[in-house]
Amino acid sequence: QVQLMESGGGSVQSGGSLRLSCVASGYTYGSYCMAWVREAPGKVREGVATIESGGRTNYVDSVKGRFTISQDNAANTLYLQMNSLKPEDTAMYFCAAGPSCAKSNDVIYFFGGTVYWGQGTQVTVSS
């Protein structure tokens, strides 16, 4: 059974930093595309960053240069380092794993099979 558990959310002021973590279990870590997806109140869920099994990364334009996605395969852990945070980054952040992922027209999406989700961790940025 695939399980994803996020941590590291919190409240920070604009310009601050946070590091999110996601510990995965129940499958061979590194065999899936991993992503961070956020959902703000009243908005659709938005993929912000992905990392593929070979290490290739993708970001949506709104976080490029501020967020860094990485993973430690030995620890089955995915990270999201978030710097220069803005109030518009406020959202629930989810870790997700799926067979394949891509970015088109600045939209990140999964394809090819079941996508697994964590329970989310809240990030709040105040101005």
Side-chain angles (χ1 to χ4, degrees), residues 90-113:
T90 294
M92 183 72 78
Y93 282 73
F94 299 88
C95 169
S100 300
C101 60
K103 189 180 82 165
S104 178
N105 294 327
D106 204 35
V107 174
I108 282 173
Y109 60 96
F110 285 102
F111 62 96

Side-chain angles (χ1 to χ4, degrees), residues 20-92:
L20 307 184
S21 299
C22 171
V23 178
S25 61
Y27 69 103
T28 302
Y29 190 85
S31 61
Y32 278 32
C33 178
M34 303 296 296
W36 287 100
V37 179
R38 66 186 179 187
E39 185 172 351
K43 295 187 177 181
V44 298
R45 199 170 278 196
E46 173 194 34
V48 298
T50 62
I51 185 165
E52 299 175 35
S53 58
R56 178 182 176 180
T57 58
N58 255 319
Y59 301 89
V60 291
D61 289 348
S62 61
V63 306
K64 205 172 288 184
R66 300 189 298 121
F67 290 11
T68 302
I69 189 170
S70 62
Q71 61 187 356
D72 181 343
N73 288 351
N76 290 1
T77 304
L78 178 73
Y79 302 101
L80 185 68
Q81 178 67 45
M82 304 186 295
N83 299 328
S84 302
L85 281 161
K86 304 175 181 180
E88 51 263 44
D89 295 316
T90 294
M92 183 72 78

